[in-house]
Amino acid sequence: MMLKFWGARGSIPTPDPECMRYGGDTSCLEVRTSNERLLILDAGTGIRRLGIDLEEKAQGKPITADIFITHGHWDHIQGFPFFRPAYKAGNQFTFYGLFKVDGRVEESMKGLMGQLYFPVSMDNMASELVFKDILEGEKDVEGVRVSTCVVNHPQGAVAYRIEHGGTAIVYCPDTEHGDQLQPKLIELSREAEYLIHDAHYSPEEYPMYRGWGHSTYREAIGVAKAAGVQNLVLFHHAPEHHDKFLDELLDRARQEWPHTIAATRDLVVKTRSTDTALRQKAISDAQRSADFSWFVPQGYSVQRAGEDLHVLCPPSRTVLASNSFQEDILRELVPPVKKLIMDFTLVDRLNSVCLGVLGRILASCQKKEIRLVFVNVNEYLLEILKVTRFSEVATIETKTTGSTSPGASTSTILGQRRS
Ligand SMILES: [Zn+2]
Ligand SMILES: [Zn+2]
C-alpha cells in the first residue's frame, strides 16, 4: 500500500511560514493498494488538493474511490464540497461511516452541503455518490479488509484498520484514552505495520484539555507498543503548533520510541508487501537488478516542503542500497527543490553499495545545483563520510548529543557546499 498524507491538522492554522512543513490542511489520507483500489480516509480540507491530483492523473478517465469517514466533526468532512472530482459525471464515490450521534453517514455528509452552508447541494453533484453505514467489526471491500472499532471521542468516532497484501495500517485520528489505554484500539492495532494516531496535544498541554477527546504522543506510543505495531505516525497536530515545536515533540517521542515519525504535508509512506502480484513483480525486478528491497519493510519517507526535499533514510541497508530508494529521491529532484535534506536518525551503519547510491544522489544534486545536507549523522557515519569526501561537497550535521532540553541544538556543521 502507498499512503499519502494530504492533511494532518486537527484544525486549520493561520497561514504562516512557520507551519509550512506540517501544513495547514485537516485530516485526509490517500491509500493506494496494489490491486489499484483507491481508499480515502476522511474528507478534511486536504481532500481538495487530492482531488486536483486525482484529476491530473486520471486524464479524463473515470475516478472511483471508497471514502471512509471516522466521524462528523468539521475537520474530517469540510473539504468534500471542494473536491472537484465529485462534480464530474462518470466518477463514483462510496462513503462508509459509523455515526453514533448524527445518525447516518448520508445525512451527515448531505447536511454539510445544506442550503445554509453551501450553494450546491450534494444531490446536484454530477458524480455517483453511494452511502453505506457500517457496523463495528470486519468487512471486505473489494479485496481490501476493513475493520473498525468505536473509540472514545466527543460524539463518538471510529478507528479503521485497512489490510491488504499481507500488511495492515490503522488510522485513529481522534481519540482520548484517559487513565487507561483503550483495549479495543490495541486489539485493532495488533501487529499493524503503521499506526496513525492522534497526537494533538503536548504532554504539558494535555492536563488543561482533559475531556476534549485527544491524545499526546505518549498514549500513541503506548498503543503502538502494547499492540506490537512496527511504526507509529503522529497525526492530527494542533493548529497552534509550529513546525519547530512539532519537530521538538517528534524528537521527544523518538527518545521514548524510535519507530516514530510525524505526518507532514504530503508525506508518502510505502508499506512492504507480500501480495502475490507484487511478489512476482519483485522477483522479476530483482532478477534484473539484484534488488530485493521489496521483501523488507521500506521504512523511509520522501516529502517535499516548498524548496526543501526531506528524506528520512531507512534503517535497513538493503533498502538504502536499493534502486527504488534512489529512484524515489531522484524523481523528486526537480524545481522548485533547492535543498535535499537526508535525515540519518534511523541509520547506524552504511556499506559500499549504500555509498554508491548516496554518490549518485550527490552527483544528481551537483548537476542540478541542489544543496545536499545530511542531518543526524552518528559518529561512525561521520568518519565514513569524511573519508569518502562527501564532507567536501555536502553539509553534514551530526546527531545532537548531550542535550536534554528538546530542540537545543549542539549540532556540528562539518562541511559547506562550495560556491
Ligand atoms: Zn479531528
Ligand atoms: Zn473530532
Side-chain angles (χ1 to χ4, degrees), residues 195-211:
L195 167 65
I196 299 140
H197 193 288
D198 186 342
H200 195 93
Y201 297 120
S202 71
E204 293 72 27
E205 290 164 335
Y206 176 69
M208 288 179 288
Y209 298 99
R210 219 172 264 280

Side-chain angles (χ1 to χ4, degrees), residues 10 70-76 153-157 173-175 212-214 236:
T70 55
H71 62 306
H73 287 165
W74 278 107
D75 52 310
H76 298 261
H153 191 62
Q155 288 104 30
D174 293 48
T175 197
W212 286 45
H214 295 290
H236 206 276

